[in-house]
Amino acid sequence: MKYTAHNFSPLLKFKAAFWLIFFVFAAVVPLSSVAQQADTLLPAPDTVKVMADSLLIPAVSQGDTLKLSAPPRDKKKSAISSKVEYSATDSISLDLKSQKVYMYREADIKYEKIHQKAGFIEINFNDNMLRARPGVDSAGKPYGKPEFIEGDQSFSSEQIDYNFNTTKGLIKNVITKEGEGFLHGEVVKKMDNNVSNMRHGGYTTCNLDHPHFSIKFTKAKVIPNNKIVTGPAFLTIEDVPLPLVLPFGLFPNKRGQTSGIIIPTYGESANRGFYLENGGYYFGINDYMELRLVGDIYSRGSWAIKPLFNYRKRYKFNGSFNFSYAINTEGIRETESFKRNRDFRVAWTHSQDPRARPKSRFSANVNFVSSQYNRYNPTTTNDLLSNTFQSSISYQTTLFKDKISFSGALSHSQNTSTKLVNLSLPSISVSANRFYPLRKPGKTTNLKWYDNISMNYSMTARNDVSVIDSMLFKPAMFESFKNGMLHKIPISSNVKVMKFFTLSNSFDFTERWYTASLRKTWINDTLWDGEDYTVGYVKNDTVRGFKAGRDFGFTSSLSTTVYGMVQFKRSPIRAIRHVMRPSVSFSLRPDFGKPEFGYYKEVQVDSTGRMQRYSIFGDGSAWSSIYGSPPDGRSGRLSFSFSNNLEMKVRSKSDTVTGMKKVMLIESFSFGTSYDLAKDSLQWSLVNFSARTTLFKKLQIQYSSVWDPYVVTESGRRINEFEWNKNRRLLRRDNTSWNFSIDYNFASGKKNKAKPATTSTPPTDEAKQELAEFERNPQNYIDWSNPWNFGFRYNLNYTGRNMPATMTTKSEVIQTFGFTGDISITPKWKINMSSGYDFKQKKLSYTSVNIYRDLHCWEMRFNWIPIGYYKSWNFYIKVKASVLQDLKLNRKKDFRDN
């Protein structure tokens, strides 16, 4: 029977539409018959071509959807109820006689998690088969390679045959992505349990259709989200088989965290023998925690264990804990050259998400090492070159509706060169917000002078100790702790005077609390000091018990700001502005050294009976308290200060709004001195000058000097005689300091990336890998987008001090210079170098040369330190993907072998 366009009935329209869509669901619901019922969901085409019992429908746009609800003839309920999207850019043909559907050019079918694309798709309902093939254009070139996507799984192939009744399939020349890798196979048979059997294939992490390398096998079984098991396997690089054959292959294919063995790096060290480094086991505990347990072992007795624990809870906190313990040996046993050191390192970082608890925050940054640890076990170049380390564990919160702030911290600092360790266990701070005791609540206008009187309170407490690292956590360390508490209550007010002046008055009360004090006693006895006998000595005793020290003072200051400007009408320089800020202040403080306060005492210091004054809170020599002691002697100080800055406005083509830009000529120039009314001599203090500016936005210049109005003797003692009276000059220069520094970078014009860029479009696999590499190890991240980059840093510091005895100036010049740069010789080759010059030693400082080669799915790195104590080199070539991170070649000469 033949149909024409005029007698094309609605029933036949439904048939055509039904057969067109029905095959999309065939992979989900086994079918044997089709219901014949009219439906108007598919609009009739404007034109229909009829060709021998076949129906040709013009291509429909992507996104057309259908829902099927009519029951089949066998009265089984249909399970098809989801949205279907289909399209073909050429045409869709329905052969009603043979019950086949043909989709031509860019055929595309989407249903739930299934997405099938191909140049040509054929559906045969007689044998329930779907066949996908590439299309062939008029020139005989194939296009539209079949691609099948189901959930997280995807593969492309030359040919796909799929039975939507048994859910089995046969695929030829397939490339499928499994985790970080790709599987290539000549023939793949997909079983109904979603397991695939593969023949004559390979596994690789290279994303090319013809990969640079692969692990070849004759047969394999792929178990989704579990593992890939192969028969005998061997490695090929550029299609060249290598004599590396394994009886079988086992590749993890499970998504998410998985536990497994970490293969160590092997080699030989001249001083420590053969070694296995960084080998161990990885524990994927759960989605929030992981443990990396690795260690080192050397044939000459050295070993180390280095567990690393990472944790993260989204929107709450994240951190890592790293503990390392090592036994390091040097030299030959039972000889004087033999050394055995126990070394350790504790590192902990913890960061809280601000959204977790907005009113409180806990953070930790701990980096505590033994003095010799980084000599034998450095992890980064920064650790290698550093001899100072700091740690801090802190907690901050607010109380009573944010009126009180509290913070507590445990901190540490150490110098591995001097082996001195400073601990603060703990330090506590409490402060109250400023409040106005005489102001009515809510009053903000018509303020009287007393409405501006404000108060606040602050308290700090510390418990500190400073010891050599060998004395850590021993009884002597706990006996050496010094502690104290400091309270401050400032009362202040600001008042405008004559519109242009600001009068500030403040009264400060300070109180110190200590649990011990100092007592000095003259002992009239003979003491042997190791070289000679001393007749009599001063004995220092620590007296346990509560002691408090109080002081207070009053300060009043008057300040204003004066502006001066010169404008030019016909000049590139449009204006020059001078800003001056003069200030005068007066401070008054009683004498807290009087006997009635009890803060200062006297002690005999020699056999002649000479007495010396000392503070019971320590003098900083043999014993001192944390917050010092109340000041000795009264003071009525009148201070003067004057600061300036000078700037100009010039025309600027880059500013399209005002057409002007500001140029700072002098950022700051200030001087100050004071006059003490309470003293009977040497009432004027030293005069201090300071200035700073920046030239060309790069060169920073700083200047400071100290000048003395009084004459100084040859021994360096100031006397109560003005320089003007003796040498006819107002001031005598005591010391001067100049500092010049520049930090400049030259680049190719392309902006350097601080990290891989993120975009709104889904990132590619290479972009994901690049971002992961940056987050894992930012020091090893290579910015290939910048062809070249060069930067240098130079600092010059000059200090000069007058020597009264010789009437000369003792000067010192300290210079530092460092540079770093990289250049991409080709789009895949990059060389990086960093070095500096030691002007004192007159030789190059720490120098490092790095060569990188991007090998697509592999990478090569060569690091060379050519000179100095850390002279060494390290070369490796390895696969980029972490799933095959142990497929590498590593050779090095360690600096510890020098």
Side-chain angles (χ1 to χ4, degrees):
M1 178 183 291
K2 293 184 179 180
Y3 295 90
T4 65
H6 297 287
N7 63 2
F8 190 60
S9 66
L11 179 59
L12 188 54
K13 292 180 182 179
F14 169 74
K15 278 187 173 183
F18 185 86
W19 284 108
L20 172 64
I21 303 306
F22 197 72
F23 77 90
V24 179
F25 312 104
V28 183
V29 182
L31 304 172
S32 59
S33 59
V34 181
Q36 299 185 20
Q37 181 176 345
D39 201 316
T40 60
L41 291 177
L42 181 64
D46 294 337
T47 60
V48 177
K49 296 182 180 179
V50 180
M51 299 175 60
D53 292 334
S54 66
L55 177 64
L56 184 64
I57 301 179
V60 290
S61 61
Q62 177 135 0
D64 287 354
T65 60
L66 288 173
K67 282 191 176 181
L68 184 63
S69 58
R73 285 199 305 263
D74 58 3
K75 297 183 181 180
K76 292 182 179 179
K77 185 178 180 180
S78 173
I80 301 170
S81 59
S82 298
K83 177 182 177 181
V84 178
E85 300 180 16
Y86 64 94
S87 68
T89 58
D90 190 312
S91 60
I92 301 173
S93 178
L94 303 161
D95 191 335
L96 303 181
K97 185 175 182 180
S98 59
Q99 298 190 36
K100 291 183 179 180
V101 179
Y102 306 95
M103 301 179 69
Y104 296 93
R105 188 175 287 275
E106 297 184 20
D108 192 297
I109 303 171
K110 292 180 182 178
Y111 175 71
E112 292 184 346
K113 295 183 179 181
I114 297 175
H115 188 188
Q116 175 70 64
K117 297 187 291 184
F120 168 76
I121 294 178
E122 174 193 322
I123 304 295
N124 189 335
F125 289 100
N126 290 321
D127 54 7
N128 300 320
M129 290 296 294
L130 179 148
R131 296 176 176 87
R133 303 287 188 272
V136 180
D137 60 16
S138 58
K141 294 183 179 180
Y143 65 86
K145 192 174 183 179
E147 183 177 356
F148 181 83
I149 302 172
E150 183 176 6
D152 295 332
Q153 288 185 313
S154 66
F155 60 83
S156 61
S157 66
E158 295 293 338
Q159 174 182 323
I160 298 177
D161 293 338
Y162 180 74
N163 189 302
F164 48 76
N165 189 23
T166 63
T167 68
K168 295 181 180 180
L170 188 66
I171 310 163
K172 293 184 178 180
N173 297 324
V174 67
I175 302 175
T176 178
K177 181 172 175 55
E178 296 290 341
E180 289 187 76
F182 298 87
L183 273 173
H184 293 244
E186 291 184 7
V187 180
V188 177
K189 186 176 182 181
K190 182 181 180 299
M191 309 305 292
D192 53 0
N193 58 359
N194 219 19
V195 173
S196 300
N197 295 324
M198 187 175 294
R199 185 178 68 185
H200 297 303
Y203 180 80
T204 181
T205 57
C206 183
N207 60 359
L208 299 179
D209 290 346
H210 190 83
H212 292 109
F213 82 100
S214 65
I215 300 174
K216 296 287 188 179
F217 51 79
T218 56
K219 57 184 178 180
K221 174 174 286 190
V222 181
I223 305 174
N225 199 27
N226 194 332
K227 56 181 170 288
I228 302 171
V229 184
T230 75
F234 59 93
L235 178 65
T236 64
I237 298 179
E238 293 292 353
D239 296 329
V240 177
L242 300 182
L244 181 61
V245 182
L246 300 174
F248 65 92
L250 182 63
F251 304 96
N253 191 33
K254 188 175 181 180
R255 291 171 175 81
Q257 289 181 316
T258 55
S259 302
I261 296 174
I262 300 174
I263 306 299
T265 300
Y266 64 90
E268 182 182 7
S269 170
N271 289 335
R272 301 202 284 179
F274 296 98
Y275 63 79
L276 294 174
E277 290 183 340
N278 296 317
Y281 198 84
Y282 172 82
F283 299 89
I285 302 174
N286 54 38
D287 293 338
Y288 308 104
M289 295 180 290
E290 63 179 3
L291 174 63
R292 184 175 182 265
L293 184 60
V294 298
D296 308 333
I297 186 168
Y298 297 82
S299 60
R300 293 186 181 177
S302 298
W303 59 270
I305 183 169
K306 300 176 287 187
L308 173 62
F309 177 71
N310 294 319
Y311 57 91
R312 176 186 295 271
K313 189 170 184 181
R314 195 176 184 184
Y315 305 127
K316 294 293 184 179
F317 53 80
N318 67 84
S320 67
F321 182 82
N322 186 0
F323 173 76
S324 301
Y325 181 80
I327 298 294
N328 297 298
T329 61
E330 276 187 322
I332 303 174
R333 292 181 182 273
E334 300 180 358
T335 65
E336 294 182 355
S337 64
F338 181 75
K339 296 180 181 179
R340 189 173 188 269
N341 297 313
R342 287 185 175 90
D343 296 305
F344 67 90
R345 177 175 183 254
V346 178
W348 178 33
T349 60
H350 178 91
S351 178
Q352 177 182 306
D353 194 308
R355 293 168 291 187
R357 300 186 66 184
K359 291 189 177 182
S360 64
R361 182 175 181 84
F362 176 80
S363 63
N365 187 1
V366 177
N367 192 9
F368 189 75
V369 301
S370 59
S371 58
Q372 296 292 323
Y373 180 84
N374 283 321
R375 179 183 176 186
Y376 299 101
N377 308 278
T379 54
T380 65
T381 302
N382 189 46
D383 290 340
L384 200 65
L385 302 176
S386 299
N387 59 8
T388 57
F389 300 89
Q390 296 84 30
S391 302
S392 176
I393 303 174
S394 62
Y395 175 76
Q396 303 93 26
T397 188
T398 57
L399 306 170
F400 306 108
K401 298 181 180 180
D402 299 336
K403 293 182 179 180
I404 303 294
S405 298
F406 169 86
S407 66
L410 307 175
S411 60
H412 129 274
S413 65
Q414 68 177 119
N415 188 307
T416 55
S417 298
T418 61
K419 299 185 179 181
L420 186 64
V421 180
N422 300 308
L423 300 175
S424 182
L425 308 173
S427 60
I428 298 173
S429 175
V430 177
S431 63
N433 292 344
R434 185 178 300 273
F435 63 96
Y436 299 87
L438 304 179
R439 183 186 297 182
K440 294 181 179 180
K443 184 178 180 181
T444 58
T445 58
N446 298 323
L447 299 177
K448 305 298 183 181
W449 65 269
Y450 51 82
D451 289 327
N452 291 321
I453 297 176
S454 64
M455 295 181 62
N456 68 318
Y457 167 80
S458 65
M459 182 276 291
T460 58
R462 285 163 48 198
N463 184 40
D464 298 351
V465 68
S466 181
V467 296
I468 302 298
D469 57 4
S470 59
M471 299 296 294
L472 281 174
F473 306 114
K474 292 184 178 180
M477 185 196 81
F478 296 99
E479 294 176 0
S480 302
F481 268 104
K482 297 177 182 179
N483 45 58
M485 185 177 293
L486 179 69
H487 305 266
K488 284 194 172 187
I489 303 177
I491 304 173
S492 61
S493 68
N494 294 322
V495 180
K496 280 289 183 182
V497 179
M498 300 171 61
K499 295 184 180 181
F500 303 108
F501 296 89
T502 301
L503 178 64
S504 300
N505 300 286
S506 65
F507 175 83
D508 299 303
F509 176 81
T510 303
E511 183 165 339
R512 304 164 183 86
W513 290 356
Y514 299 115
T515 58
S517 59
L518 175 65
R519 180 175 61 198
K520 292 187 176 185
T521 309
W522 170 254
I523 305 297
N524 193 14
D525 197 1
T526 302
L527 178 68
W528 172 254
D529 61 3
E531 295 181 357
D532 198 1
Y533 288 98
T534 301
V535 179
Y537 62 93
V538 177
K539 181 182 178 182
N540 296 320
D541 292 318
T542 301
V543 181
R544 300 294 176 183
F546 176 78
K547 283 289 183 180
R550 305 172 184 89
D551 68 82
F552 52 85
F554 172 79
T555 301
S556 180
S557 65
L558 184 67
S559 62
T560 187
T561 302
V562 181
Y563 299 89
M565 180 178 290
V566 178
Q567 294 181 331
F568 306 92
K569 294 183 178 180
R570 299 179 180 180
S571 174
I573 301 175
R574 302 309 302 269
I576 296 179
R577 189 176 75 161
H578 184 202
V579 181
M580 297 165 285
R581 295 181 176 88
S583 176
V584 180
S585 64
F586 175 73
S587 61
L588 182 64
R589 187 195 68 228
D591 182 8
F592 293 99
K594 291 182 178 180
E596 53 263 33
F597 289 104
Y599 303 146
Y600 289 86
K601 296 183 178 181
E602 292 187 344
V603 62
Q604 181 180 339
V605 294
D606 56 28
S607 58
T608 63
R610 185 170 61 90
M611 305 298 289
Q612 187 179 73
R613 192 177 179 86
Y614 76 95
S615 169
I616 64 171
F617 300 114
D619 54 7
S621 56
W623 192 94
S624 62
S625 54
I626 292 178
Y627 296 110
S629 60
D632 186 16
R634 65 175 183 170
S635 174
R637 190 179 298 271
L638 186 65
S639 301
F640 310 91
S641 66
F642 191 86
S643 63
N644 308 255
N645 66 46
L646 189 66
E647 63 183 13
M648 66 179 180
K649 281 187 176 182
V650 298
R651 292 178 180 177
S652 175
K653 295 181 180 179
S654 60
D655 193 327
T656 59
V657 179
T658 63
M660 302 290 175
K661 71 174 181 179
K662 288 184 179 181
V663 177
M664 191 67 68
L665 300 177
I666 299 177
E667 295 178 10
S668 173
F669 176 68
S670 61
F671 62 88
T673 187
S674 63
Y675 183 82
D676 197 336
L677 301 173
K679 288 185 177 181
D680 56 1
S681 62
L682 300 174
Q683 293 173 305
W684 285 98
S685 67
L686 298 174
V687 181
N688 296 279
F689 287 85
S690 65
R692 73 174 188 275
T693 189
T694 302
L695 301 180
F696 315 112
K697 298 183 180 180
K698 297 294 181 181
L699 178 59
Q700 296 181 352
I701 303 175
Q702 292 181 328
Y703 165 80
S704 64
S705 61
V706 178
W707 302 75
D708 196 341
Y710 292 102
V711 175
V712 64
T713 64
E714 292 183 358
S715 62
R717 187 174 63 88
R718 299 174 74 200
I719 60 176
N720 193 32
E721 183 179 0
F722 288 110
E723 278 283 339
W724 178 259
N725 296 333
K726 183 176 183 179
N727 300 317
R728 292 303 176 188
R729 56 186 181 187
L730 288 175
L731 301 171
R732 174 184 51 81
R733 186 179 63 183
D734 184 73
N735 62 76
T736 304
S737 174
W738 286 89
N739 184 270
F740 301 86
S741 63
I742 184 171
D743 190 344
Y744 201 84
N745 285 294
F746 303 89
S748 62
K750 293 185 177 180
K751 186 178 179 180
N752 271 332
K753 295 188 295 182
K755 69 174 185 177
T758 57
T759 62
S760 58
T761 58
T764 62
D765 294 333
E766 291 184 356
K768 290 179 180 178
Q769 184 176 340
E770 186 183 12
L771 181 60
E773 174 63 25
F774 173 82
E775 292 177 343
R776 183 169 57 250
N777 196 348
Q779 290 186 340
N780 288 338
Y781 173 70
I782 308 301
D783 182 10
W784 292 99
S785 67
N786 199 4
W788 64 269
N789 179 66
F790 178 77
F792 69 91
R793 305 170 304 280
Y794 176 74
N795 186 82
L796 184 147
N797 183 267
Y798 167 83
T799 56
R801 185 175 184 85
N802 285 357
M803 308 301 295
T806 60
M807 300 299 292
T808 59
T809 300
K810 182 181 179 181
S811 61
E812 182 181 15
V813 177
I814 299 175
Q815 300 181 78
T816 59
F817 176 74
F819 67 90
T820 181
D822 60 69
I823 183 172
S824 297
I825 302 175
T826 70
K828 299 297 182 181
W829 279 95
K830 184 179 281 288
I831 297 178
N832 171 275
M833 181 178 179
S834 62
S835 183
Y837 188 77
D838 190 329
F839 289 89
K840 188 175 183 179
Q841 300 292 333
K842 296 183 178 180
K843 63 180 182 179
L844 290 175
S845 57
Y846 177 83
T847 302
S848 175
V849 180
N850 302 283
I851 301 176
Y852 311 95
R853 175 66 164 98
D854 185 0
L855 299 170
H856 188 253
C857 47
W858 290 64
E859 67 175 349
M860 183 200 76
R861 293 176 184 250
F862 176 70
N863 172 259
W864 179 36
I865 302 174
I867 57 175
Y869 175 78
Y870 299 106
K871 183 178 179 180
S872 59
W873 59 266
N874 187 8
F875 170 83
Y876 73 80
I877 180 171
K878 72 179 186 71
V879 176
K880 287 182 180 179
S882 60
V883 69
L884 293 179
Q885 61 182 347
D886 298 314
L887 188 57
K888 61 184 177 181
L889 174 66
N890 191 359
R891 293 291 182 268
K892 68 178 181 178
K893 181 183 178 182
D894 201 284
F895 75 92
R896 290 165 290 194
D897 294 336
N898 295 334

